Amino acid sequence: MKEIRDGAQSNRTPLVLDVGDFKGDFSFDGLFGDLVTEVLPSCLEKEVDSLEGHGNIDGISNGHMRAPSMSNAGKLLSSPLFPEVDALLSLFKNSSSQLVEQKRQVDAKLSNLTKEVSVQDLKHRKTLAELEKGVDGLFGSFARLDSRISSVGHTAAKIGDHLQSADTQRESASQTIELIKYLMEFNRSAGDLTQLSPLFIDDNRVAEAASIAQKLRSFADEDIGRQKTTVSSAVGNATSNKGLEVAITNLQEYCNALENRLLARFDTATQKRDLSTMGEYGKILSQFNRGTSAMQHYVGLRPMFDVEVMNADAKLVLGDEGAQPSPSNVAHGLSSMFKEIADTVRKEAATIAAVFPSPKDVMSILVQRVLEDRVPKLLEKLLLKPSLVNPPPMAEGGLVLYLRLLAVAYEKTQEFDKELRSVGCGDLDVECLTESLFLPHKDIYIECEQASLKQLYKAKMDELRSECQLSSSESSGTIGRSKGASIVLSNPEISVTVVTEFVRWNEEAISRCSLFSLQPAALAASIKPVFTCLLDQVSQYIIGGLERSREGLTEAAALREKHLLGTSVSRRVAAAAASAAENAAAAGESSFKSFMASVQRCGSSVAILQQYFVNSISRRLLPVDGAHAASSEEMATAMSRAESVACKGLQQCIETVIAEVERLLSTEQKATDYRSPDDGIIPDHRPTSACACAVAYLSRVLESAFTGLEGLNKQAFLTELGSRLHKGLLNHWQKFTFNPSGGLRLKRDITEYGEFVCSFNAPPVDEKFEQLGIIANVFIVAPESLGPLFEGTPSIKKDAQRFIQLRDDYKNAKLASKLSSLWS
C-alpha cells in the first residue's frame, strides 16, 4: 500500500491499494488498521487537548465530584462528537473503489490464465498419448530381448553341462585307463606282486596306494558281477573271469599285506601315544572295509579287557574267594568298578575323537565290547542261577541272597548304562544291550520270588517251632498235653512282629518287581502272585496260631469232663475231684485269656495286611483289568478261613466261661439261699455268695475279651455269651424252691447279673435280664396277685409258669388249678 505525505497531518492523500497487499499472510484487521491509523490518532489528540484546557473531564477535584460549568457544557455541545468521520468516509469510499478495480483486474487475469491452461492441457494430453505409444513399443522390444537372452542362456547352460559331462567322462576315462593299467599289473600271475608300480611299494605314498587298491577291488568286483548276470559266449566269460579272479586274488593279498603293515605302524604310534601319526594311519585304514578291522583291532588291544583286569573286577565285587558276598559290599564294589570303566571309556573317547575319522563307530564297538565281554564275565560269577527244585539253603543265603544280588547288579548296571550314554555310544542301543544281560534271570524272576518267600516262611516257622519246643521242654508243672502236643509244637503263637516281618519280605519283593518291570501292566502282573504269597503266609500263620490257642481250650474242656463226679462218692474222692476241677478251671481261664490275646493279635495282623494292600498294592494293580478285584477277593477268602477258626474258638471260649459259671453256682449255691427258715425276718439285701463268685469270675475273665475283641466281633460274642448266661441261670434256678424272702434274694442276684451284663452294650441281653427281674416277682407277691402280674407282658408267661411251680406254696395253695385259666 502506497501513501503520499507532505509531512503535515492535515494535508494527506488517499491510500493506494495494490494486488501485492493481498499476497502472503493477508489479514483484514491489518488492512483496516492501515486505513484508519492515520485519521483516528489525530482526533483523539484533539479531544485530549480540549479537555485538558477546560479542566478535569470527569469533574473530579480534590477527591470530590464537581459538575461541569454551564459555559463548558455549551462549548462541548457546539463542537461535533466525531470530527474525523468525513475523512474516514472519504477514505473508505476511495478504498472501496480501488478494491473493485483490483477485483476487475484480477478477474481479467484469471480468465486469461484459464484459457492458456486449457490450451496447454490439450497439448500435454496429445504429448502423453504419443509417449504411451512409444513406451508400448519399447516394452515389446524389451520382451523380445529378454526372450532372446533367456534362449541364449539356456543354450549356454546346456553347452556348459555337455562340456562338464565331457570333462567328467574324460577324467573318468583317464582314471579308468590308469586303473586298468594298474589292474593289468595285478592280473599277470597269481601271487606275483614283484612287478608292481612304485606307487604300491613307496611307503610315503601308502595313502594313495590304499585308495587306488580299493578302487581296483571295487572295479573288479563290479565287473565280475556284471559278467555273471550277462549272457555271453562261454569262452569269453571263462577268459574274462579267470583274469579278473587272478587280479582280485592279488589285490586281496596286497590289501591284506598293506593293512597289516599299516596296523603295525598304528600300534607303534599307539604305544608312543603319537596322536597325529595315529590319526594319519587311522584315516588310511578307514579305506579298508570302512575301517572296521582297524577299529576292532584298536578296541581289542585296550588294557581294560585284559584277563588280569577282569580278575581284579571279580575280587573287588565278590571279595575273597569262597566268602559269601553281601549285597552292600557288592553294591559298593560295582559302583567302584563301573566308575573306573566309565572314566576309562571317557578317556578313550577323547583319543578316539582325535584319531579316527568315524569316532561314533569306534565308540559303539568299544561300549559293545564292555557290555558283551567285561560286564557279563563279572555277572556270570556274581549271579549263579539257582535251582528252584533244590534251592540253596538259608545257611548259604538262600534264594533271597540271589534276588538281592540280582537287584543290586541290575540297578548299578542301569546307572552304568546312563553314564555310558552320557559319554557317547554312537548308534549302539545301549539300553537294549544292558537289558539283554539280565534276560536269563528275569525269565524266572517271579518264580524265584515266590520260591524265596516260601523258603523264608519255612525257615521262620522252623525257628519259631524250635523256640517253642525249647520253651516247652524247659517248663515244668504244666498240664499234660499229649493229645495236642503236635498241634502246639507245629503252630507257634501269633506275633504281630512276625506278621510285620512277612510284610517286610513282601515289600522288598515288590520293590524288586518295580525295579525289573517298568511298564505298569507288567508290574501289575508281577505283583499279583507275590502278594498272593503273603496272603497264604499270613493266613497259614494266623490259622495255626488260633488252632494252637484252641487246643488249650479243648484240653481244658477235656479236664473238666474228666473230673466230673457222680452222686455217690466218698468225701476224700470228692475233695480230690474238687481240687482237680479248680485246676481245670484255672487252665480254662488261662486258655481263654490266651485265645483272646491271639484274637487281638490276629486282628492287628489283619489290619497291618489290609493297610499294606491299600498303601502299596492296590494302586499298582489298577492297570490290569480285574487284578485289583481278584486280589481283594483272595484276601477276603484268606481272612474268612482265619475268621472261621476264630469263630470256633470264640464258641469254645463261651463254653468254657459258661461251664465255669455253672460249676461255681453248683458249688457255692445252697438251698437255704432262696428258702431261708427265718422267712419274715428283715431280708438280706446282699447277693448270694454264688452270685458274687460268678460275677467276680465273669468280670475277671471277660476283661481280656473286652480288650481282645473289637466292633461287631465283640458285640456278637458278648450277645451270645449273655444269652447263654441267661439260659444257664434259668436252668440253675430250676433246681431250687423259693419262699418270699428267697424271692427277694433272687431278685437281688438278678439285679447283680443285670448290672454286670449292662457292660456288654447288648440290648437283647439287657431285655432278657429285665424280664428275669419281672419274673422273680412271682415269688414275692401273694397267690391271688399272680394273675394280674403278667397281663402286660404275655411274652414271658412260659418262663413265669415254670418259676411259679418253684414256689414253696405251689402245692399247698393249689396254684396249678387257680392259674389254669391264666395259662390257657
Side-chain angles (χ1 to χ4, degrees), residues 350-383:
T351 302
I352 290 169
V355 171
F356 291 95
S358 302
K360 289 184 178 181
D361 296 338
V362 186
M363 288 301 298
S364 296
I365 297 173
L366 177 64
V367 174
Q368 184 176 3
R369 179 70 182 274
V370 170
L371 295 177
E372 290 182 351
D373 187 14
R374 186 165 177 178
V375 175
K377 287 184 178 178
L378 174 66
L379 293 180
E380 288 176 3
K381 298 178 181 178
L382 175 64
L383 303 175

PDB file of all heavy atoms in Angstrom, residues 350-383:
ATOM      1  N   ALA A 350      38.156 -89.413  24.122  1.00  0.00           N
ATOM      2  CA  ALA A 350      38.959 -88.269  23.679  1.00  0.00           C
ATOM      3  C   ALA A 350      40.008 -88.705  22.659  1.00  0.00           C
ATOM      4  O   ALA A 350      40.235 -88.029  21.642  1.00  0.00           O
ATOM      5  CB  ALA A 350      39.616 -87.606  24.886  1.00  0.00           C
ATOM      6  N   THR A 351      40.654 -89.845  22.915  1.00  0.00           N
ATOM      7  CA  THR A 351      41.653 -90.354  21.977  1.00  0.00           C
ATOM      8  C   THR A 351      41.015 -90.753  20.651  1.00  0.00           C
ATOM      9  O   THR A 351      41.528 -90.445  19.562  1.00  0.00           O
ATOM     10  CB  THR A 351      42.381 -91.558  22.587  1.00  0.00           C
ATOM     11  OG1 THR A 351      42.983 -91.162  23.826  1.00  0.00           O
ATOM     12  CG2 THR A 351      43.447 -92.082  21.652  1.00  0.00           C
ATOM     13  N   ILE A 352      39.872 -91.419  20.737  1.00  0.00           N
ATOM     14  CA  ILE A 352      39.190 -91.884  19.528  1.00  0.00           C
ATOM     15  C   ILE A 352      38.756 -90.709  18.670  1.00  0.00           C
ATOM     16  O   ILE A 352      38.865 -90.740  17.431  1.00  0.00           O
ATOM     17  CB  ILE A 352      37.989 -92.765  19.923  1.00  0.00           C
ATOM     18  CG1 ILE A 352      38.490 -94.093  20.498  1.00  0.00           C
ATOM     19  CG2 ILE A 352      37.058 -93.000  18.748  1.00  0.00           C
ATOM     20  CD1 ILE A 352      37.414 -94.933  21.149  1.00  0.00           C
ATOM     21  N   ALA A 353      38.253 -89.654  19.301  1.00  0.00           N
ATOM     22  CA  ALA A 353      37.816 -88.475  18.545  1.00  0.00           C
ATOM     23  C   ALA A 353      38.976 -87.819  17.810  1.00  0.00           C
ATOM     24  O   ALA A 353      38.792 -87.235  16.731  1.00  0.00           O
ATOM     25  CB  ALA A 353      37.153 -87.474  19.493  1.00  0.00           C
ATOM     26  N   ALA A 354      40.186 -87.917  18.375  1.00  0.00           N
ATOM     27  CA  ALA A 354      41.344 -87.285  17.750  1.00  0.00           C
ATOM     28  C   ALA A 354      41.989 -88.171  16.689  1.00  0.00           C
ATOM     29  O   ALA A 354      42.765 -87.680  15.861  1.00  0.00           O
ATOM     30  CB  ALA A 354      42.381 -86.930  18.822  1.00  0.00           C
ATOM     31  N   VAL A 355      41.685 -89.470  16.680  1.00  0.00           N
ATOM     32  CA  VAL A 355      42.401 -90.404  15.812  1.00  0.00           C
ATOM     33  C   VAL A 355      41.555 -90.874  14.636  1.00  0.00           C
ATOM     34  O   VAL A 355      41.999 -90.855  13.484  1.00  0.00           O
ATOM     35  CB  VAL A 355      42.895 -91.611  16.643  1.00  0.00           C
ATOM     36  CG1 VAL A 355      43.453 -92.703  15.729  1.00  0.00           C
ATOM     37  CG2 VAL A 355      43.947 -91.159  17.642  1.00  0.00           C
ATOM     38  N   PHE A 356      40.328 -91.278  14.898  1.00  0.00           N
ATOM     39  CA  PHE A 356      39.528 -91.955  13.870  1.00  0.00           C
ATOM     40  C   PHE A 356      38.612 -90.980  13.148  1.00  0.00           C
ATOM     41  O   PHE A 356      38.036 -90.079  13.767  1.00  0.00           O
ATOM     42  CB  PHE A 356      38.703 -93.081  14.504  1.00  0.00           C
ATOM     43  CG  PHE A 356      39.529 -94.240  14.989  1.00  0.00           C
ATOM     44  CD1 PHE A 356      39.944 -94.311  16.314  1.00  0.00           C
ATOM     45  CD2 PHE A 356      39.912 -95.244  14.114  1.00  0.00           C
ATOM     46  CE1 PHE A 356      40.716 -95.371  16.760  1.00  0.00           C
ATOM     47  CE2 PHE A 356      40.676 -96.302  14.556  1.00  0.00           C
ATOM     48  CZ  PHE A 356      41.084 -96.369  15.872  1.00  0.00           C
ATOM     49  N   PRO A 357      38.426 -91.173  11.861  1.00  0.00           N
ATOM     50  CA  PRO A 357      37.513 -90.307  11.104  1.00  0.00           C
ATOM     51  C   PRO A 357      36.054 -90.516  11.502  1.00  0.00           C
ATOM     52  O   PRO A 357      35.230 -89.626  11.337  1.00  0.00           O
ATOM     53  CB  PRO A 357      37.728 -90.704   9.643  1.00  0.00           C
ATOM     54  CG  PRO A 357      38.846 -91.669   9.611  1.00  0.00           C
ATOM     55  CD  PRO A 357      39.117 -92.137  10.989  1.00  0.00           C
ATOM     56  N   SER A 358      35.721 -91.724  12.000  1.00  0.00           N
ATOM     57  CA  SER A 358      34.343 -92.031  12.428  1.00  0.00           C
ATOM     58  C   SER A 358      34.365 -92.429  13.902  1.00  0.00           C
ATOM     59  O   SER A 358      34.260 -93.624  14.242  1.00  0.00           O
ATOM     60  CB  SER A 358      33.748 -93.159  11.578  1.00  0.00           C
ATOM     61  OG  SER A 358      33.759 -92.816  10.207  1.00  0.00           O
ATOM     62  N   PRO A 359      34.515 -91.454  14.800  1.00  0.00           N
ATOM     63  CA  PRO A 359      34.644 -91.791  16.230  1.00  0.00           C
ATOM     64  C   PRO A 359      33.398 -92.465  16.792  1.00  0.00           C
ATOM     65  O   PRO A 359      33.493 -93.290  17.701  1.00  0.00           O
ATOM     66  CB  PRO A 359      34.893 -90.433  16.893  1.00  0.00           C
ATOM     67  CG  PRO A 359      34.397 -89.410  15.918  1.00  0.00           C
ATOM     68  CD  PRO A 359      34.605 -89.994  14.567  1.00  0.00           C
ATOM     69  N   LYS A 360      32.210 -92.163  16.241  1.00  0.00           N
ATOM     70  CA  LYS A 360      30.995 -92.780  16.771  1.00  0.00           C
ATOM     71  C   LYS A 360      31.000 -94.289  16.564  1.00  0.00           C
ATOM     72  O   LYS A 360      30.575 -95.055  17.434  1.00  0.00           O
ATOM     73  CB  LYS A 360      29.755 -92.175  16.112  1.00  0.00           C
ATOM     74  CG  LYS A 360      29.469 -90.736  16.535  1.00  0.00           C
ATOM     75  CD  LYS A 360      28.169 -90.250  15.923  1.00  0.00           C
ATOM     76  CE  LYS A 360      27.853 -88.834  16.389  1.00  0.00           C
ATOM     77  NZ  LYS A 360      26.568 -88.351  15.802  1.00  0.00           N
ATOM     78  N   ASP A 361      31.500 -94.727  15.409  1.00  0.00           N
ATOM     79  CA  ASP A 361      31.559 -96.164  15.139  1.00  0.00           C
ATOM     80  C   ASP A 361      32.514 -96.860  16.100  1.00  0.00           C
ATOM     81  O   ASP A 361      32.240 -97.965  16.584  1.00  0.00           O
ATOM     82  CB  ASP A 361      31.990 -96.412  13.695  1.00  0.00           C
ATOM     83  CG  ASP A 361      30.971 -95.882  12.695  1.00  0.00           C
ATOM     84  OD1 ASP A 361      29.806 -95.716  13.086  1.00  0.00           O
ATOM     85  OD2 ASP A 361      31.349 -95.613  11.538  1.00  0.00           O
ATOM     86  N   VAL A 362      33.647 -96.223  16.372  1.00  0.00           N
ATOM     87  CA  VAL A 362      34.623 -96.815  17.295  1.00  0.00           C
ATOM     88  C   VAL A 362      34.038 -96.877  18.707  1.00  0.00           C
ATOM     89  O   VAL A 362      34.206 -97.871  19.430  1.00  0.00           O
ATOM     90  CB  VAL A 362      35.927 -95.999  17.285  1.00  0.00           C
ATOM     91  CG1 VAL A 362      36.988 -96.692  18.130  1.00  0.00           C
ATOM     92  CG2 VAL A 362      36.434 -95.820  15.862  1.00  0.00           C
ATOM     93  N   MET A 363      33.331 -95.811  19.135  1.00  0.00           N
ATOM     94  CA  MET A 363      32.727 -95.811  20.464  1.00  0.00           C
ATOM     95  C   MET A 363      31.667 -96.904  20.574  1.00  0.00           C
ATOM     96  O   MET A 363      31.517 -97.538  21.634  1.00  0.00           O
ATOM     97  CB  MET A 363      32.109 -94.448  20.756  1.00  0.00           C
ATOM     98  CG  MET A 363      33.113 -93.340  21.002  1.00  0.00           C
ATOM     99  SD  MET A 363      34.205 -93.687  22.395  1.00  0.00           S
ATOM    100  CE  MET A 363      33.038 -93.780  23.742  1.00  0.00           C
ATOM    101  N   SER A 364      30.942 -97.138  19.494  1.00  0.00           N
ATOM    102  CA  SER A 364      29.951 -98.220  19.518  1.00  0.00           C
ATOM    103  C   SER A 364      30.628 -99.568  19.759  1.00  0.00           C
ATOM    104  O   SER A 364      30.160-100.385  20.561  1.00  0.00           O
ATOM    105  CB  SER A 364      29.173 -98.256  18.198  1.00  0.00           C
ATOM    106  OG  SER A 364      28.424 -97.077  18.014  1.00  0.00           O
ATOM    107  N   ILE A 365      31.751 -99.806  19.049  1.00  0.00           N
ATOM    108  CA  ILE A 365      32.478-101.072  19.217  1.00  0.00           C
ATOM    109  C   ILE A 365      33.047-101.178  20.624  1.00  0.00           C
ATOM    110  O   ILE A 365      32.994-102.245  21.259  1.00  0.00           O
ATOM    111  CB  ILE A 365      33.592-101.180  18.160  1.00  0.00           C
ATOM    112  CG1 ILE A 365      32.980-101.222  16.756  1.00  0.00           C
ATOM    113  CG2 ILE A 365      34.453-102.409  18.403  1.00  0.00           C
ATOM    114  CD1 ILE A 365      33.998-101.167  15.639  1.00  0.00           C
ATOM    115  N   LEU A 366      33.592-100.072  21.151  1.00  0.00           N
ATOM    116  CA  LEU A 366      34.199-100.089  22.489  1.00  0.00           C
ATOM    117  C   LEU A 366      33.145-100.389  23.557  1.00  0.00           C
ATOM    118  O   LEU A 366      33.339-101.268  24.412  1.00  0.00           O
ATOM    119  CB  LEU A 366      34.869 -98.741  22.759  1.00  0.00           C
ATOM    120  CG  LEU A 366      35.486 -98.564  24.152  1.00  0.00           C
ATOM    121  CD1 LEU A 366      36.624 -99.555  24.361  1.00  0.00           C
ATOM    122  CD2 LEU A 366      35.992 -97.127  24.342  1.00  0.00           C
ATOM    123  N   VAL A 367      32.025 -99.663  23.526  1.00  0.00           N
ATOM    124  CA  VAL A 367      30.985 -99.872  24.543  1.00  0.00           C
ATOM    125  C   VAL A 367      30.363-101.253  24.396  1.00  0.00           C
ATOM    126  O   VAL A 367      30.048-101.922  25.390  1.00  0.00           O
ATOM    127  CB  VAL A 367      29.915 -98.763  24.428  1.00  0.00           C
ATOM    128  CG1 VAL A 367      28.756 -99.042  25.369  1.00  0.00           C
ATOM    129  CG2 VAL A 367      30.526 -97.407  24.742  1.00  0.00           C
ATOM    130  N   GLN A 368      30.205-101.701  23.163  1.00  0.00           N
ATOM    131  CA  GLN A 368      29.652-103.037  22.942  1.00  0.00           C
ATOM    132  C   GLN A 368      30.580-104.099  23.535  1.00  0.00           C
ATOM    133  O   GLN A 368      30.112-105.075  24.140  1.00  0.00           O
ATOM    134  CB  GLN A 368      29.451-103.273  21.449  1.00  0.00           C
ATOM    135  CG  GLN A 368      28.781-104.597  21.124  1.00  0.00           C
ATOM    136  CD  GLN A 368      28.512-104.737  19.640  1.00  0.00           C
ATOM    137  OE1 GLN A 368      28.867-103.868  18.846  1.00  0.00           O
ATOM    138  NE2 GLN A 368      27.882-105.833  19.252  1.00  0.00           N
ATOM    139  N   ARG A 369      31.874-103.905  23.381  1.00  0.00           N
ATOM    140  CA  ARG A 369      32.841-104.859  23.956  1.00  0.00           C
ATOM    141  C   ARG A 369      32.757-104.850  25.488  1.00  0.00           C
ATOM    142  O   ARG A 369      32.839-105.913  26.133  1.00  0.00           O
ATOM    143  CB  ARG A 369      34.249-104.477  23.490  1.00  0.00           C
ATOM    144  CG  ARG A 369      35.364-105.365  24.041  1.00  0.00           C
ATOM    145  CD  ARG A 369      35.342-106.758  23.448  1.00  0.00           C
ATOM    146  NE  ARG A 369      36.372-107.601  24.012  1.00  0.00           N
ATOM    147  CZ  ARG A 369      37.631-107.657  23.571  1.00  0.00           C
ATOM    148  NH1 ARG A 369      38.007-106.881  22.531  1.00  0.00           N
ATOM    149  NH2 ARG A 369      38.501-108.460  24.122  1.00  0.00           N
ATOM    150  N   VAL A 370      32.549-103.653  26.065  1.00  0.00           N
ATOM    151  CA  VAL A 370      32.406-103.561  27.526  1.00  0.00           C
ATOM    152  C   VAL A 370      31.190-104.337  27.997  1.00  0.00           C
ATOM    153  O   VAL A 370      31.238-105.095  28.977  1.00  0.00           O
ATOM    154  CB  VAL A 370      32.311-102.079  27.955  1.00  0.00           C
ATOM    155  CG1 VAL A 370      31.922-101.983  29.425  1.00  0.00           C
ATOM    156  CG2 VAL A 370      33.635-101.370  27.728  1.00  0.00           C
ATOM    157  N   LEU A 371      30.059-104.157  27.287  1.00  0.00           N
ATOM    158  CA  LEU A 371      28.801-104.762  27.721  1.00  0.00           C
ATOM    159  C   LEU A 371      28.655-106.219  27.291  1.00  0.00           C
ATOM    160  O   LEU A 371      27.740-106.899  27.763  1.00  0.00           O
ATOM    161  CB  LEU A 371      27.621-103.952  27.176  1.00  0.00           C
ATOM    162  CG  LEU A 371      27.497-102.521  27.719  1.00  0.00           C
ATOM    163  CD1 LEU A 371      26.341-101.807  27.061  1.00  0.00           C
ATOM    164  CD2 LEU A 371      27.324-102.531  29.237  1.00  0.00           C
ATOM    165  N   GLU A 372      29.497-106.686  26.397  1.00  0.00           N
ATOM    166  CA  GLU A 372      29.408-108.074  25.958  1.00  0.00           C
ATOM    167  C   GLU A 372      30.571-108.923  26.455  1.00  0.00           C
ATOM    168  O   GLU A 372      30.537-110.143  26.280  1.00  0.00           O
ATOM    169  CB  GLU A 372      29.353-108.146  24.425  1.00  0.00           C
ATOM    170  CG  GLU A 372      28.053-107.628  23.836  1.00  0.00           C
ATOM    171  CD  GLU A 372      28.013-107.770  22.320  1.00  0.00           C
ATOM    172  OE1 GLU A 372      29.077-108.108  21.758  1.00  0.00           O
ATOM    173  OE2 GLU A 372      26.954-107.541  21.722  1.00  0.00           O
ATOM    174  N   ASP A 373      31.555-108.299  27.052  1.00  0.00           N
ATOM    175  CA  ASP A 373      32.732-109.058  27.489  1.00  0.00           C
ATOM    176  C   ASP A 373      33.018-108.831  28.970  1.00  0.00           C
ATOM    177  O   ASP A 373      32.909-109.747  29.786  1.00  0.00           O
ATOM    178  CB  ASP A 373      33.934-108.659  26.633  1.00  0.00           C
ATOM    179  CG  ASP A 373      35.139-109.535  26.916  1.00  0.00           C
ATOM    180  OD1 ASP A 373      34.964-110.584  27.561  1.00  0.00           O
ATOM    181  OD2 ASP A 373      36.260-109.163  26.519  1.00  0.00           O
ATOM    182  N   ARG A 374      33.322-107.584  29.316  1.00  0.00           N
ATOM    183  CA  ARG A 374      33.777-107.341  30.684  1.00  0.00           C
ATOM    184  C   ARG A 374      32.646-107.476  31.711  1.00  0.00           C
ATOM    185  O   ARG A 374      32.802-108.160  32.734  1.00  0.00           O
ATOM    186  CB  ARG A 374      34.395-105.948  30.766  1.00  0.00           C
ATOM    187  CG  ARG A 374      35.038-105.662  32.124  1.00  0.00           C
ATOM    188  CD  ARG A 374      35.936-104.473  32.066  1.00  0.00           C
ATOM    189  NE  ARG A 374      36.501-104.159  33.370  1.00  0.00           N
ATOM    190  CZ  ARG A 374      37.357-103.174  33.612  1.00  0.00           C
ATOM    191  NH1 ARG A 374      37.754-102.402  32.606  1.00  0.00           N
ATOM    192  NH2 ARG A 374      37.819-102.942  34.818  1.00  0.00           N
ATOM    193  N   VAL A 375      31.512-106.833  31.437  1.00  0.00           N
ATOM    194  CA  VAL A 375      30.406-106.894  32.400  1.00  0.00           C
ATOM    195  C   VAL A 375      29.806-108.294  32.492  1.00  0.00           C
ATOM    196  O   VAL A 375      29.586-108.799  33.601  1.00  0.00           O
ATOM    197  CB  VAL A 375      29.333-105.841  32.033  1.00  0.00           C
ATOM    198  CG1 VAL A 375      28.124-105.970  32.941  1.00  0.00           C
ATOM    199  CG2 VAL A 375      29.913-104.433  32.140  1.00  0.00           C
ATOM    200  N   PRO A 376      29.520-108.982  31.376  1.00  0.00           N
ATOM    201  CA  PRO A 376      28.941-110.331  31.506  1.00  0.00           C
ATOM    202  C   PRO A 376      29.824-111.317  32.254  1.00  0.00           C
ATOM    203  O   PRO A 376      29.300-112.169  32.992  1.00  0.00           O
ATOM    204  CB  PRO A 376      28.748-110.771  30.043  1.00  0.00           C
ATOM    205  CG  PRO A 376      28.617-109.500  29.278  1.00  0.00           C
ATOM    206  CD  PRO A 376      29.538-108.539  29.969  1.00  0.00           C
ATOM    207  N   LYS A 377      31.131-111.221  32.086  1.00  0.00           N
ATOM    208  CA  LYS A 377      32.010-112.160  32.790  1.00  0.00           C
ATOM    209  C   LYS A 377      31.924-111.969  34.292  1.00  0.00           C
ATOM    210  O   LYS A 377      32.003-112.939  35.058  1.00  0.00           O
ATOM    211  CB  LYS A 377      33.448-111.995  32.297  1.00  0.00           C
ATOM    212  CG  LYS A 377      33.660-112.560  30.893  1.00  0.00           C
ATOM    213  CD  LYS A 377      35.104-112.476  30.455  1.00  0.00           C
ATOM    214  CE  LYS A 377      35.279-113.088  29.065  1.00  0.00           C
ATOM    215  NZ  LYS A 377      36.674-112.989  28.581  1.00  0.00           N
ATOM    216  N   LEU A 378      31.760-110.735  34.724  1.00  0.00           N
ATOM    217  CA  LEU A 378      31.586-110.497  36.159  1.00  0.00           C
ATOM    218  C   LEU A 378      30.220-111.004  36.621  1.00  0.00           C
ATOM    219  O   LEU A 378      30.101-111.638  37.680  1.00  0.00           O
ATOM    220  CB  LEU A 378      31.732-109.005  36.466  1.00  0.00           C
ATOM    221  CG  LEU A 378      31.436-108.614  37.910  1.00  0.00           C
ATOM    222  CD1 LEU A 378      32.477-109.211  38.845  1.00  0.00           C
ATOM    223  CD2 LEU A 378      31.389-107.110  38.073  1.00  0.00           C
ATOM    224  N   LEU A 379      29.178-110.730  35.838  1.00  0.00           N
ATOM    225  CA  LEU A 379      27.834-111.150  36.235  1.00  0.00           C
ATOM    226  C   LEU A 379      27.721-112.671  36.297  1.00  0.00           C
ATOM    227  O   LEU A 379      26.967-113.215  37.115  1.00  0.00           O
ATOM    228  CB  LEU A 379      26.800-110.585  35.254  1.00  0.00           C
ATOM    229  CG  LEU A 379      26.633-109.061  35.252  1.00  0.00           C
ATOM    230  CD1 LEU A 379      25.584-108.646  34.230  1.00  0.00           C
ATOM    231  CD2 LEU A 379      26.255-108.546  36.632  1.00  0.00           C
ATOM    232  N   GLU A 380      28.456-113.375  35.432  1.00  0.00           N
ATOM    233  CA  GLU A 380      28.439-114.838  35.479  1.00  0.00           C
ATOM    234  C   GLU A 380      28.958-115.365  36.806  1.00  0.00           C
ATOM    235  O   GLU A 380      28.468-116.366  37.328  1.00  0.00           O
ATOM    236  CB  GLU A 380      29.278-115.396  34.333  1.00  0.00           C
ATOM    237  CG  GLU A 380      28.627-115.243  32.958  1.00  0.00           C
ATOM    238  CD  GLU A 380      29.541-115.712  31.846  1.00  0.00           C
ATOM    239  OE1 GLU A 380      30.660-116.207  32.175  1.00  0.00           O
ATOM    240  OE2 GLU A 380      29.175-115.587  30.668  1.00  0.00           O
ATOM    241  N   LYS A 381      29.949-114.690  37.366  1.00  0.00           N
ATOM    242  CA  LYS A 381      30.496-115.107  38.658  1.00  0.00           C
ATOM    243  C   LYS A 381      29.620-114.641  39.818  1.00  0.00           C
ATOM    244  O   LYS A 381      29.533-115.310  40.850  1.00  0.00           O
ATOM    245  CB  LYS A 381      31.903-114.544  38.826  1.00  0.00           C
ATOM    246  CG  LYS A 381      32.890-115.049  37.791  1.00  0.00           C
ATOM    247  CD  LYS A 381      34.261-114.411  37.987  1.00  0.00           C
ATOM    248  CE  LYS A 381      35.258-114.890  36.929  1.00  0.00           C
ATOM    249  NZ  LYS A 381      36.595-114.243  37.081  1.00  0.00           N
ATOM    250  N   LEU A 382      28.967-113.494  39.637  1.00  0.00           N
ATOM    251  CA  LEU A 382      28.171-112.922  40.729  1.00  0.00           C
ATOM    252  C   LEU A 382      26.810-113.578  40.839  1.00  0.00           C
ATOM    253  O   LEU A 382      26.366-113.929  41.937  1.00  0.00           O
ATOM    254  CB  LEU A 382      28.006-111.412  40.506  1.00  0.00           C
ATOM    255  CG  LEU A 382      27.102-110.667  41.494  1.00  0.00           C
ATOM    256  CD1 LEU A 382      27.678-110.728  42.893  1.00  0.00           C
ATOM    257  CD2 LEU A 382      26.915-109.221  41.054  1.00  0.00           C
ATOM    258  N   LEU A 383      26.126-113.772  39.706  1.00  0.00           N
ATOM    259  CA  LEU A 383      24.747-114.263  39.708  1.00  0.00           C
ATOM    260  C   LEU A 383      24.718-115.703  39.227  1.00  0.00           C
ATOM    261  O   LEU A 383      24.604-115.972  38.024  1.00  0.00           O
ATOM    262  CB  LEU A 383      23.875-113.374  38.817  1.00  0.00           C
ATOM    263  CG  LEU A 383      23.848-111.879  39.165  1.00  0.00           C
ATOM    264  CD1 LEU A 383      23.053-111.112  38.124  1.00  0.00           C
ATOM    265  CD2 LEU A 383      23.281-111.659  40.558  1.00  0.00           C
TER     266      LEU A 383
END
